[in-house]
Amino acid sequence: MTNAVADDREFTFSADDYAFLAKLLKEKTGIDLGPSKQNMVYARLAKRLRKLHIPSFRAYCDFIASPEGIDELGATLNALTTNLTKFFRENHHFEHLAGQALSEIRTRSTTQGRRLRIWSAGCSSGEEPYSIAITLRQSMPDLAQWDAKILATDIDTEMVRRGNEGVYSTESAEGVPADIRDKCFEPHGPGKVRVRQELRQLIAFKHLNLMSHWPMKGPFDLIFCRNVVIYFDKDTQRVLFDRYANLLVPGGFLYIGHSENLFGITERFKLLGRNIHRKIA
Ligand SMILES: C[S@@+](CC[C@H](N)C(=O)[O-])C[C@H]1O[C@@H](n2cnc3c(N)ncnc32)[C@H](O)[C@@H]1O
């Protein structure tokens, strides 16, 4: 595969078009596509060109670079993010939350009050923050007496909308243990379920670009940022993890994805194992 994509496709897509889109994505989101994702970019954006009756990638690039293309630029970013997720993905993190993390938070609450703040950063369509909410419900019989809030953010506006709606296929809801599924979901038409209101009310879904200004002050007891930075270069990760450390309480926990690590990125966390990190500085 060379940089130029074959001309027999429906839309012409040159190496320059790819370079433009890859640079734009990196600048706007931190996502670094590298040199070889032309086919993925073509497949994901060809749908947009078709929908808008735009004849070539060159014309599409010109459009999103123009003031009139500002809304479409959002759609471009939505199309180019990878949103793969599922309920209780990397379940050991939820076990750690239910065990050590909540135990320490309870101990702290005797002097600092019953306040609990968790951030799911890069929450995709909501399965991660709902898994957090379900874990809290299951592990904290006195949850109603806590000021507990989960913030769930993503750059992809469509993912934020879906997370907020909380509607999933019955198949994906099977990621939630069978014995508690009925407590978590209510039927929502054929083949669909909706997360119950008592869980939905624990979460605020917001559109947020991790590369931009963050309006929240924190501090957070825990941050989940899993399978997000895998697409960022090391310098971008360095800045991001420093910002996370600034927003965590002393001793707070950071969970990252199975193929991510903080080696050579930051010394403000101590690895406890299985990609669970404690803020130490
Ligand atoms: C692969 S999903 C991971 C979802 C979930 N954390 C999990 O592990 O299952 C990565 C998410 O990060 C989001 N993302 C990528 N770059 C982002 C940025 N700069 N700001 C906020 N979210 C971003 C994507 O939109 C996508 O939904």
Side-chain angles (χ1 to χ4, degrees):
M1 178 88 222
T2 62
N3 272 357
V5 172
D7 273 348
D8 56 356
R9 295 196 179 189
E10 183 181 357
F11 304 105
T12 50
F13 182 39
S14 70
D16 282 352
D17 299 336
Y18 178 71
F20 172 86
L21 289 164
K23 182 164 175 276
L24 181 82
L25 189 69
K26 172 100 192 282
E27 277 169 13
K28 298 281 180 201
T29 70
I31 297 171
D32 191 354
L33 289 176
S36 61
K37 292 282 190 336
Q38 290 96 334
N39 287 342
M40 183 197 92
V41 169
Y42 183 95
R44 290 184 180 187
L45 291 182
K47 294 178 200 140
R48 299 300 312 162
L49 272 72
R50 222 168 279 135
K51 183 155 192 247
L52 299 171
H53 305 290
I54 292 181
S56 68
F57 270 83
R58 184 69 265 142
Y60 185 75
C61 293
D62 289 345
F63 179 50
I64 57 176
S66 72
E68 300 75 47
I70 185 81
D71 290 344
E72 181 55 24
L73 176 60
T76 313
L77 301 183
N78 285 359
L80 293 178
T81 54
T82 295
N83 307 116
L84 186 75
T85 188
K86 59 180 184 170
F87 287 104
F88 291 97
R89 182 182 198 181
E90 299 176 52
N91 189 40
H92 47 274
H93 290 160
F94 302 97
E95 289 170 354
H96 180 267
L97 165 61
Q100 184 177 359
L102 282 181
S103 153
E104 290 187 16
I105 289 163
R106 275 193 186 286
T107 306
R108 264 203 309 272
S109 74
T110 57
T111 53
Q112 296 176 14
R114 292 179 167 188
R115 179 185 180 279
L116 174 53
R117 293 290 183 273
I118 302 179
W119 180 14
S120 166
C123 63
S124 189
S125 40
E127 287 86 336
E128 179 177 277
Y130 285 122
S131 301
I132 297 170
I134 293 167
T135 303
L136 297 186
R137 277 257 165 226
Q138 288 300 110
S139 328
M140 299 177 74
D142 61 344
L143 183 60
Q145 276 96 62
W146 282 70
D147 169 18
K149 290 191 180 128
I150 301 162
L151 172 67
T153 64
D154 204 281
I155 195 171
D156 186 329
T157 49
E158 174 58 15
M159 292 302 117
V160 175
R161 188 197 64 73
R162 281 173 50 186
N164 199 36
E165 188 180 58
V167 174
Y168 299 95
S169 67
T170 43
E171 201 182 9
S172 63
E174 280 166 15
V176 173
D179 56 327
I180 58 166
R181 220 173 284 151
D182 285 351
K183 280 207 290 188
C184 302
F185 300 101
E186 59 201 13
H188 195 79
K192 301 257 186 233
V193 291
R194 187 172 197 198
V195 179
R196 289 189 185 276
Q197 166 65 13
E198 57 264 36
L199 291 167
R200 281 191 282 121
Q201 72 183 13
L202 290 170
I203 308 175
F205 283 93
K206 303 274 180 208
H207 177 238
L208 182 86
N209 183 350
L210 291 170
M211 298 302 114
S212 305
H213 167 72
W214 300 348
M216 58 278 190
K217 288 199 290 286
F220 290 95
D221 300 282
L222 301 117
I223 296 177
F224 285 70
C225 182
R226 308 181 315 155
N227 310 299
V228 177
V229 304
I230 186 172
Y231 309 106
F232 296 173
D233 66 22
K234 297 267 180 223
D235 285 340
T236 307
Q237 292 188 29
R238 223 162 259 134
V239 173
L240 184 63
F241 287 117
D242 204 46
R243 294 176 82 191
Y244 284 154
N246 293 342
L247 267 194
L248 275 166
V249 298
F253 295 106
L254 170 72
Y255 303 97
I256 64 174
H258 63 281
S259 54
E260 297 161 339
N261 68 71
L262 300 185
F263 298 118
I265 305 274
T266 173
E267 306 212 324
R268 298 185 66 185
F269 294 91
K270 176 174 187 264
L271 176 61
L272 305 183
R274 309 203 74 178
N275 276 344
I276 302 165
H277 297 80
R278 184 194 286 288
K279 173 182 162 177
I280 52 168

